[in-house]
Structure formats: C-alpha cells, structure tokens
Amino acid sequence: MKYILLTVTLLFTACDKPATPKIAAPQREALDAAKGIDQAVQQNTEETKQRVEDAEK
C-alpha cells in the first residue's frame, strides 16, 4: 500500500507544470531598449553622412 501511494503521489507531482520564471522579461526589455537606441544612432549617423555629402557638393 505504501508503494502504491508513493507511486500515485509521484505521478501527480510529475504532472504539475511549474510556473515559468520571469527571468527573461527584464533582459528582453533591455534588449528592446537597446534596439531602439541603435536605430536612433544609425538614423543620426545617416543624417550626418547626408549633411557632409551635401556640404561637399
């Protein structure tokens, strides 16, 4: 009887899905912010290159 209870208990605990940790959420937010900053820097670089090219003409 002990073994049956132990087996049933293990089966039920194995079926429960653990809550997923939210560890990646802050990292994802930081990555999104970095992508936004990168786009702004690239746009600024392109505008600066365009101004230099216009000034040389």
Side-chain angles (χ1 to χ4, degrees), residues 44-57:
N44 191 11
T45 303
E46 289 296 323
E47 289 174 359
T48 304
K49 284 181 184 179
Q50 186 66 34
R51 288 183 196 150
V52 169
E53 289 174 2
D54 290 344
E56 290 177 349
K57 290 181 182 180

Side-chain angles (χ1 to χ4, degrees), residues 17-39:
K17 292 184 179 181
T20 55
K22 301 292 181 183
I23 295 172
Q27 293 171 347
R28 186 178 309 265
E29 291 172 3
L31 181 63
D32 290 341
K35 285 180 182 178
I37 292 171
D38 183 48
Q39 289 175 353

